[in-house]
Amino acid sequence: MSSLSLWSPRSHYRQTRKGKILQSTSELYLRDDLGMGYTIPSQTSAKRNNVSIQISGSAQKINDVQDLISLLVPTYCSSSREEKIRLVVVDTNVLLHNLDVLEHPSCAISNIVIPQTALLECRHRSFSAYNRTMDLLRSSVAKDSDGTGSSNKRCVIFFPDCHHIATQLPPSQEKKTVNDDNDARIRQVAMFFGESLVGSGVEVTLLTDDKNCRALALKDQRLSQENEEEDETTKLLFMSNTVREHISILEKENGDLSLSDFVAQFSSASGEEVERMQYYPAHLPLQELSLGVKSGKFYQGYVRAVTGQYDKCYVTVKQGEERVAVNIIGLSDMNRSVDGDLVAIELHPVSQWLGANEKEEENTHKSSKNADIILADTADRQISDESNVVDVVEVPTGDSESESISMLKPTGKVIGIIRRNFKTSYCGSIFSIDKSSQIDLTAGQSHEREEITRSNEVEHPDGSTTCVFFAVDARIPPVLVRTTQRERLLNKRILIAIDSWSSDSPYPLGHYVKTLGDTGMKDVETEVLLHEHNIPCDPFPAKVLACLPPDDYKIELEPGRLDLRHIPVLSIDPPGCQDIDDALHCISLPNGNYQVGVHIADVTHYVQAGTAIDLEAANRSTSTYLVNKRLDMLPKLLTTDLCSLKGNVDRFAFSVLWEVTPQMDIIDVQFQKSIIHSIGALTYQEAQAYIDQPDDDDDIRASAVKRLNSLARILKKRRIEAGALSLASPAVQFVLDSESLNPTDVQNYTLYEANALVEEFMLFANVTVAKKILRHYPTLSILRRHPAPNRSMFDSLISKAKCKGFSINIEDSKHLADSLDAAVVENDPYFNTLLRILSTRCMSPAQYFCSGEYKPTDWHHYGLAAPVYTHFTSPIRRYADVCVHRLLAAAIGVEPLPSLLS
């Protein structure tokens, strides 16, 4: 290796989409001072608020073999009653599919080398796996800041093989393809550590599930020893094992370990290789798929499974200017694709297309019928609901003399998968025939699951069992999971990961990840619900808590803040509300006008851009409200105390102040960072009582509420006249048992005029702020738009209203509002409410967007009839509002615009 230059060119050949051969050459700079790699140790550092956090230190170089051995963590072998030191070099596929094993809390694989080649390929193929790998690299624990220290549990080493001169391949050994070249480089890393640690007592193992790579590893070692004197007892420099083989060795040495369930599956075979039945056709190579898509022979798009069914989906493809939904019916035509996969499809002959009204029930599982009935009465989007997507096309039929046009639904089949979209984990349960299940199933669902389980549950000679897992999300097919703890997992909610889906397996293969708890338990099913909707529910990490103010923190007037503590500010919220985002005031001015103020919690004072608490809030995005608890976007100290605009305490706020006439004409508007002192945190019922009581000028609270309400009525009237929609969205409230917090009753949520009072001023503030930030940042502003509804989404409602003698006009929001107002049945007072509820479900959802992404004509908010709109008034529970606060602060010059927003 010493003959290699520290600079060398590297060339690869690849075929372009047009079929030409392209040579790609890059310069490679090598170094001879990189030692044995680098660690990124974490140090425990005491922070304020008595919170201890792990801080990643700078990378530390491992200079030589002695440095390396001093870092390695021994593992105890109970069978021989001695400690062993093993060093494992991992390849890309281990990082992609077996991180659950590497991350396991037992630290059974305690010494890990991650080559740069494997890390870069992992980043290219899965960014989520790359992030987890980087967290693994930072998991080596160093000494505590107080110097006491504790022994490492895990040593993870980054090895820069791309630039290390000792692990370069001679030009004669460079491979034809990038994948083969990467495999050879990773084997070279294992060889380097094997040679360096000869005689040290450290066992080096290359972990790879690639059979060919393991064979080449053995061949490479034999070639390196051919010039040495060797006999049958000569030891290899390193072992090469599959992950399952390595875990089996560890479990034999330590009976307390149980890691086999966490190992990814790539084959449903239990042992020796035998001829296996092929359930699906082979996928075409990516190169052939690319050429086919480019030539128009194939189409590419994302698989969208029909809600409640895993064996029926559609793929939206481009046909000229139109987007057409192609139906894929049955597991055979879906060809091992799952919801979210990017696939290439081939259309069936027109003779196999479906009629416009034809049902696709054949080849789909029977239990889907109930789902179809439910879907008809819910707001779940169907193909026809998607904007600018059609599922029926015109097809000429007959001969040239008697040609006619038929409306048909295109069908097709998946012929290749361009990119998989397996989630990190899926939640569900293992189904068993011989034991009663606590899961509520219909007779059809139970029968179907029994059939699948009878055909696929297998006991293996090693004591493990292949079980059938059914996900909570019915769009996911059954998963075959190999486990040694079948009995313990029955009637449990568990998490599994899907590893692969080979053509010789009827269903995808996966591995066990975690047990959530007993099926049917309230807390467990709540966790399932949160998991299925990707709602973060873990406690705030220590690095986030360390960002909070200290225990002795006090709110005091700061330079640059407007002191409004003398103004009678008050808040109006539901009973028991703790996270009070907003407060209001309205006072008379000497000139007869009013000063109206909307005061919003100044969250950005405590949440600085780019800090750990800011990144955590961005990840959570919003607070989530459950029946019996609330999952906060920010830690409790901010949510319910320092940021909450509670009564009779000083609080920092971001205030919008208007001078308006009694007719609600705006004279002036100001935006100020302020400090306020709320004179009362009112409930809606209390505010309504003030509205209803006779005038009393001596009652400050009542006078303020009455003035605000009179102005709110004017605002609402103007919005309705402009075409704002008044759509019914009935809410319910649960009555909870005081001890168990279990729901005991459900009641309609009563709305008061005080609710409309708060709503009008929040809308008013949001529109005002939107105009302000847009004036200063015309391409950077975070706004919210509500697209006009697609005509096809209203077709069903229009036809049903027509049966009752009413015409629904959706030309614009004003016409729709007038149509709904006119649709009144005298002897059926609930008819109009029902019509408004159904209209809500026909709407497209509102969207956040950056003003530079759309033309100004597309900024309009259809439901509110507002040309521009944003979210400013709920920063405690909504991260979009936090971003808008930062934009507004920069617009008025009190704070610089964070780099993340610019």
Side-chain angles (χ1 to χ4, degrees), residues 669-732:
V669 61
Q670 297 179 22
F671 305 90
Q672 295 279 351
K673 290 267 187 160
S674 63
I675 183 171
I676 64 172
H677 187 97
S678 173
I679 63 171
L682 306 181
T683 65
Y684 288 123
Q685 294 91 327
E686 291 171 340
Q688 188 63 43
Y690 286 132
I691 293 173
D692 296 337
Q693 76 180 35
D695 293 344
D696 182 359
D697 294 337
D698 295 331
D699 191 333
I700 298 177
R701 292 185 182 184
S703 298
V705 172
K706 282 180 172 293
R707 282 192 295 268
L708 287 166
N709 191 57
S710 66
L711 297 175
R713 288 172 178 170
I714 298 173
L715 288 174
K716 185 172 184 178
K717 182 182 178 182
R718 288 179 182 173
R719 282 199 312 108
I720 298 299
E721 290 174 349
L725 298 174
S726 179
L727 299 176
S729 182
V732 296

Side-chain angles (χ1 to χ4, degrees), residues 283-295 297-300 342-345 414-419:
H283 291 147
L284 297 182
L286 284 176
Q287 183 178 344
E288 189 173 340
L289 295 178
S290 177
L291 292 173
V293 170
K294 188 173 181 63
S295 66
K297 180 181 178 182
F298 306 141
Y299 299 89
Q300 85 172 35
L342 179 62
V343 300
I345 65 170
V414 174
I415 44 90
I417 296 178
I418 298 171
R419 185 169 63 247

Side-chain angles (χ1 to χ4, degrees), residues 548-661:
L548 297 175
D551 294 336
D552 57 353
Y553 174 78
K554 291 183 179 180
I555 294 176
E556 297 175 345
L557 180 62
E558 297 177 343
R561 280 193 182 270
L562 181 63
D563 191 349
L564 298 177
R565 288 176 290 184
H566 61 287
I567 300 291
V569 173
L570 49 82
S571 61
I572 306 174
D573 292 281
C577 180
Q578 295 179 310
D579 51 340
I580 303 175
D581 287 284
D582 54 86
L584 302 162
H585 87 260
C586 181
I587 59 175
S588 298
L589 298 176
N591 61 3
N593 291 336
Y594 294 136
Q595 184 191 67
V596 177
V598 169
H599 311 275
I600 307 300
D602 190 4
V603 171
T604 55
H605 176 78
Y606 303 98
V607 181
Q608 299 297 312
T611 59
I613 194 170
D614 180 53
L615 298 177
E616 181 70 19
N619 179 56
R620 297 190 178 218
S621 299
T622 181
S623 294
T624 303
Y625 294 83
L626 304 175
V627 172
N628 59 348
K629 65 179 178 179
R630 181 185 68 239
L631 301 173
D632 294 322
M633 184 182 80
L634 297 169
K636 188 174 182 180
L637 178 64
L638 297 184
T639 298
T640 63
D641 189 6
L642 296 181
C643 290
S644 183
L645 305 183
K646 301 187 294 185
N648 303 310
V649 290
D650 293 351
R651 288 292 179 262
F652 290 144
F654 210 151
S655 301
V656 184
L657 305 172
W658 297 270
E659 181 183 344
V660 298
T661 66

Side-chain angles (χ1 to χ4, degrees), residues 457-475:
E457 191 169 271
V458 179
E459 293 186 1
H460 300 284
D462 62 359
S464 62
T465 304
T466 294
C467 302
V468 184
F469 167 92
F470 291 91
V472 171
D473 186 349
R475 297 173 301 173

Side-chain angles (χ1 to χ4, degrees), residues 149-327:
S150 60
S151 61
N152 291 353
K153 290 185 177 181
R154 183 186 280 130
C155 176
V156 187
I157 300 168
F158 169 73
F159 188 79
D161 63 293
C162 296
H163 301 281
H164 201 298
I165 192 169
T167 56
Q168 298 306 302
L169 294 173
S172 60
Q173 293 185 23
E174 290 187 354
K175 308 300 178 183
K176 294 183 179 179
T177 68
V178 175
N179 285 339
D180 289 344
D181 199 55
N182 288 344
D183 288 345
R185 293 179 186 282
I186 293 171
R187 292 195 299 273
Q188 197 73 6
V189 173
M191 182 78 77
F192 169 76
F193 278 95
E195 291 175 343
S196 301
L197 293 169
V198 167
S200 65
V202 179
E203 297 180 10
V204 179
T205 302
L206 171 64
L207 278 194
T208 175
D209 288 317
D210 186 332
K211 182 180 178 181
N212 185 53
C213 186
R214 294 196 303 275
L216 289 174
L218 181 61
K219 180 181 177 182
D220 291 345
Q221 292 183 80
R222 294 302 185 197
L223 288 174
S224 69
Q225 296 173 349
E226 63 183 6
N227 295 326
E228 301 177 9
E229 293 184 7
E230 59 174 316
D231 54 31
E232 295 181 357
T233 62
T234 302
K235 291 185 177 180
L236 296 174
L237 295 174
F238 65 93
M239 301 296 295
S240 54
N241 293 329
T242 66
V243 178
R244 189 169 293 278
E245 288 171 345
H246 189 72
I247 292 302
S248 178
I249 293 171
L250 296 180
E251 289 180 336
K252 287 178 181 177
E253 293 180 350
N254 187 347
D256 295 333
L257 279 181
S258 180
L259 289 175
S260 297
D261 287 2
F262 296 90
V263 179
Q265 286 196 85
F266 298 99
S267 172
S268 55
S270 58
E272 67 263 5
E273 298 181 11
V274 294
E275 186 88 15
R276 292 182 57 81
M277 175 180 177
Q278 298 297 307
Y279 293 90
Y280 305 97
H283 291 147
L284 297 182
L286 284 176
Q287 183 178 344
E288 189 173 340
L289 295 178
S290 177
L291 292 173
V293 170
K294 188 173 181 63
S295 66
K297 180 181 178 182
F298 306 141
Y299 299 89
Q300 85 172 35
Y302 289 94
V303 171
R304 298 301 179 206
V306 174
T307 304
Q309 302 181 57
Y310 61 80
D311 53 1
K312 178 181 170 185
C313 69
Y314 64 92
V315 176
T316 302
V317 301
K318 278 192 173 183
Q319 183 70 26
E321 295 298 320
E322 283 191 324
R323 295 168 63 217
V324 180
V326 179
N327 291 276

